[in-house]
Amino acid sequence: MHRLTTVLLASCLPFAAVAQDAASEATRIAQAEIAGRLPLDDPRDEANVLRGKLAEIPGGVILAKDGKTVWDRRPYAFLDARAAPDTVNPSLWRQARLNAVHGLFEVVPGKIWQLRGYDISVMTIIRGKSGWIVVDPLLSEEAAAASWKLFADTVEAKSGKLPIKAVIFSHSHSDHFGGVGGIVTPEQVKAQKIRIIAPHGFSEEATSENVLAGTAMGRRALYMFGSILAPGPAGQVDTGLGPKLSSGTIGYMEPTETVAATGGTLTIDGLAFEFLDAGGTEAPSEFVFYIPAYNALHTTEVVTHTLHNVLTLRGAQVRDALHWSKVIDAALVRWGGKAEVALASHHWPTWGAGEVSALLTSQRDIYRYVHDRTLFLANRGATLHELADVTPEAPGQATDFGARGYYGTVNHDMKATYQRYFGWWDGNPANFNPLPPEQSAPKYVALAGGAGKLLAAGKAAIAAGDYRWAAELLNKLVFAQPDNKEARAALASAYDQMGYQAESGAWRNYYLAAAASLRGTAVESLSGNGQSRSFVSAIPTAVFFDALATRFDAAKGSALKGTFQFLLPDSKEAVAIVVGGGVEVPRYGLTDPAPTATITIDRKTLDDVMLGQAQFPALLQSGAIKIGGDRAAFLSWFALHPPAEPRFNVVVP
């Protein structure tokens, strides 16, 4: 999962709030259909979710030191109802209720525990020979600290206090390492020689994934995670992968060691851990591991109780469904029949050697199905949208809830796989260079005979329960006439019904957040996170300057030429930025012999800027930034880097 590290606010649109729609008759029929064909009363998952529960944080409330609410499950009390309301897909309702169970759970008696329900992710604690091994300390420091306190108050209070001997980061997404500062400090890591173990490539991937495209990813993530929706039966209920994102401080600590691509065995506090590399599946840097002494397999985010994203709705690089399937099969071959419990970085464990093997088999097959069906159809001429629309759910999804599309879906995962092999274009030249929506929309309105006729057609489609067609029609009208209140309200109504029907938490959130944006009812982001200095300081300097280059205004700076030499005395780094032809090219580690200007600034001061704790004009005045050479040229160049717009429109022009 990606990963939200933003404090963006939702756009406040200048339209009077319009009431959200109730579930339509077509939606109620759709909900009844899926409820009728799925074994929603199967008790096995609920038994596993509740198994081994020892304690919980009262009310599921976690506060920061300043009193800010980091986590609060009280608004989700509506999930106590077993029967799904008409406004929630009954299969997603089941998943949301399972994810809503929070507390400390004993997985292997006296050996392994999990803290679940206090973030989108799960923290695991393993008993070593002389202390604790912590796996994936959540997204935020506050959530991790509160979870650790629950563990200490419950387990250590009986067994005795022990030191943390190691922390394992299973992969490079921040919801699995960002809370590390809540359980150990850098000083403790150094003084107590605490091992921090991660997969190879972790440092680069963990700190750079969202830097270059972070603004756009963050904006879309608000929709995907439902962060601009209030919780409720007609609002945010779950993400499918977990309840939601915690709203705390994201930190970082550099691993003391990494596991190579070849995997291998490490002895950690007296326990043997067998590692299998999984990089390039759910994350670029990832592994799974097995503990023979406990017959326990940790499947990280490669195997959870949902079909995952091959391409997340917030945006990311497309993942490899074929490799994903092969990694799961390798785990099945290696540990199937041996592992008596499988636990992951999300959701709840699976117990029993046969059940674990069945879980791995089902998960392997769903990713293989996505991959192979995509190419089967593409090699017979099906295009990106056609192949997904004609593909039924995989055979195993009818009986295995863990393979259903609560987060990823067969539909958009197949489209992502098509994109991986063939790109964004479907091969039809009419779609190679189409008009942008803002240019084509007025032409569609004119072709329809005017706004009134297009609006009427959209409303007729809604009345017929044809919500996808209604959205396509009404989206044209909204892009042609963004101030058309009736068009916005009608489009929002279509999005409501598609959101209510969605089995994927991500799809539901995106549809309903879009409807809220159209109505002007989107709320302030309820899950914004702040990056800590430790996280920002870990961003490679080369990545920082590559990100700066993406902000260069080529239209205004096309004639500008020069070389701007940056010297960072405290980190002993140098970056020469060559500007010309409408681009700037950072040359990390190089010193230009005759730069246009030389800028001396500590890396620590750059961190202050990234954290919003300092501004360039004040730094120039104070002398924290020193400029040699052509000062005016530098200032002219620097002025050509306007900030990104974090609240850009998504569902309107």
Side-chain angles (χ1 to χ4, degrees):
M1 170 333 178
H2 142 38
R3 355 323 131 236
L4 179 63
T5 57
T6 179
V7 290
L8 301 177
L9 303 181
S11 298
C12 295
L13 298 171
F15 289 91
V18 179
Q20 192 170 356
D21 286 357
S24 68
E25 179 63 18
T27 292
R28 290 193 292 271
I29 291 171
Q31 313 295 44
E33 186 277 328
I34 193 169
R37 65 181 173 85
L38 293 179
L40 296 177
D41 292 331
D42 187 325
R44 290 174 293 177
D45 282 333
E46 185 174 358
N48 284 342
V49 164
L50 296 173
R51 179 171 171 170
K53 184 170 181 178
L54 301 177
E56 66 179 49
I57 296 174
V61 178
I62 299 173
L63 303 178
K65 292 179 181 179
D66 61 2
K68 172 191 171 186
T69 300
V70 171
W71 189 258
D72 189 352
R73 292 306 289 170
R74 293 173 300 181
Y76 292 83
F78 63 88
L79 287 168
D80 291 343
R82 183 169 291 275
D86 291 337
T87 52
V88 184
N89 181 295
S91 181
L92 176 60
W93 183 260
R94 179 184 185 275
Q95 182 83 346
R97 293 186 74 248
L98 295 170
N99 282 335
V101 177
H102 62 88
L104 170 67
F105 302 83
E106 191 171 44
V107 178
V108 177
K111 304 298 183 183
I112 301 177
W113 298 261
Q114 283 193 320
L115 282 306
R116 301 202 301 269
Y118 299 122
D119 214 318
I120 194 172
S121 51
V122 169
M123 182 164 73
T124 300
I125 300 173
I126 301 168
R127 178 71 159 87
K129 182 179 180 180
S130 60
W132 308 117
I133 301 162
V134 180
V135 184
D136 290 351
L138 308 183
L139 172 66
S140 67
E141 294 175 353
E142 296 85 350
S147 297
W148 178 260
K149 183 178 185 301
L150 179 62
F151 173 78
D153 290 347
T154 307
V155 175
E156 286 194 322
K158 294 181 180 179
S159 64
K161 185 174 178 60
L162 293 173
I164 294 175
K165 304 296 290 186
V167 179
I168 295 175
F169 299 149
S170 68
H171 59 298
S172 53
H173 291 150
S174 57
D175 53 323
H176 304 278
F177 66 80
V180 63
I183 60 169
V184 294
T185 66
E187 293 75 22
Q188 288 174 318
V189 170
K190 184 176 182 180
Q192 300 172 24
K193 297 182 179 178
I194 298 172
R195 298 169 71 180
I196 299 183
I197 302 166
H200 66 97
F202 176 87
S203 298
E204 179 181 354
E205 297 295 344
T207 57
S208 64
E209 183 193 35
N210 290 342
V211 174
L212 295 176
T215 300
M217 284 185 180
R219 180 61 169 152
R220 286 167 53 155
L222 291 177
Y223 285 74
M224 173 183 172
F225 291 110
S227 301
I228 55 177
L229 294 172
Q236 203 269 351
V237 299
D238 196 71
T239 72
L241 191 64
K244 59 176 183 174
L245 299 163
S246 64
S247 304
T249 305
I250 299 174
Y252 179 83
M253 287 186 191
E254 186 69 15
T256 61
E257 57 193 287
T258 58
V259 176
T262 52
T265 300
L266 285 181
T267 300
I268 306 172
D269 192 29
L271 278 182
F273 283 66
E274 299 176 4
F275 290 92
L276 173 66
D277 185 64
T281 59
E282 189 271 339
S285 173
E286 190 159 0
F287 54 44
V288 300
F289 59 83
Y290 178 69
I291 308 172
Y294 300 158
N295 297 318
L297 174 63
H298 192 284
T299 58
T300 308
E301 206 161 329
V302 178
V303 172
T304 60
H305 289 288
T306 179
L307 169 61
H308 212 293
N309 288 305
V310 175
L311 177 58
T312 174
L313 303 190
R314 68 179 170 86
Q317 295 184 23
V318 178
R319 298 158 184 171
D320 188 342
L322 177 61
H323 179 57
W324 203 324
S325 177
K326 288 184 175 182
V327 167
I328 298 173
D329 192 51
L332 178 63
V333 169
R334 188 169 177 181
W335 298 304
K338 296 180 181 179
E340 295 178 2
V341 61
L343 58 158
S345 302
H346 295 274
H347 301 136
W348 52 92
T350 297
W351 285 270
E355 288 77 4
V356 169
S357 292
L359 170 70
L360 296 176
T361 300
S362 177
Q363 289 277 302
R364 175 201 64 191
D365 291 351
I366 188 61
Y367 292 101
R368 189 82 199 205
Y369 181 84
V370 164
H371 177 271
D372 290 358
R373 289 303 300 170
T374 300
L375 291 181
F376 177 90
L377 293 167
N379 285 327
R380 286 158 177 79
T383 61
L384 183 141
H385 292 287
E386 292 168 343
L387 56 86
D389 217 46
V390 301
T391 301
E393 64 183 31
Q397 289 183 302
T399 55
D400 181 9
F401 287 103
R404 297 198 66 80
Y406 297 119
Y407 195 49
T409 67
V410 168
N411 184 295
H412 79 256
D413 281 355
M414 288 183 71
K415 293 171 183 173
T417 301
Y418 183 99
Q419 179 182 328
R420 182 178 180 87
Y421 284 97
F422 306 108
W424 54 268
W425 180 42
D426 62 5
N428 186 329
N431 300 322
F432 186 75
N433 188 29
L435 289 171
E438 290 177 54
Q439 292 184 32
S440 65
K443 298 178 184 293
Y444 277 95
V445 174
L447 185 64
K453 289 188 176 181
L454 190 53
L455 178 61
K459 288 183 174 181
I462 291 174
D466 195 356
Y467 302 119
R468 290 168 65 189
W469 176 235
E472 186 170 339
L473 291 175
L474 293 166
N475 186 61
K476 300 293 186 186
L477 183 51
V478 167
F479 266 75
Q481 298 179 0
D483 293 338
N484 187 323
K485 295 180 182 180
E486 269 198 279
R488 293 170 73 110
L491 180 55
S493 293
Y495 286 151
D496 279 343
Q497 303 306 322
M498 289 192 285
Y500 297 160
Q501 293 183 30
E503 186 177 27
S504 164
W507 281 40
R508 173 187 174 88
N509 289 335
Y510 218 104
Y511 281 132
L512 296 185
S517 294
L518 287 166
R519 292 188 173 108
T521 58
V523 299
E524 181 176 324
S525 173
L526 301 176
S527 59
N529 298 99
Q531 293 172 334
S532 70
R533 180 170 293 276
S534 63
F535 186 94
V536 170
S537 297
I539 297 172
T541 298
V543 173
F544 171 82
F545 280 97
D546 278 338
L548 182 66
T550 67
R551 288 172 47 186
F552 181 64
D553 190 339
K556 295 181 179 178
S558 59
L560 184 65
K561 292 184 178 181
T563 300
F564 301 96
Q565 179 69 58
F566 280 80
L567 301 176
L568 287 65
D570 60 342
S571 60
K572 298 181 174 58
E573 294 175 290
V575 182
I577 300 179
V578 179
V579 182
V583 299
E584 57 186 57
V585 181
R587 292 175 172 170
Y588 179 77
L590 294 182
T591 303
D592 192 273
T596 306
T598 298
I599 304 92
T600 304
I601 179 174
D602 281 338
R603 171 57 203 257
K604 180 181 180 299
T605 305
L606 276 181
D607 293 345
D608 291 338
V609 174
M610 282 191 275
L611 287 164
Q613 298 174 359
Q615 301 295 325
F616 260 80
L619 293 171
L620 283 168
Q621 189 173 10
S622 69
I625 300 176
K626 297 181 175 63
I627 302 173
D630 192 337
R631 180 185 180 96
F634 166 74
L635 294 176
S636 296
W637 167 77
F638 185 74
L640 292 170
H641 295 79
E645 174 49 64
R647 294 187 291 178
F648 60 80
N649 290 332
V650 175
V651 296
V652 294

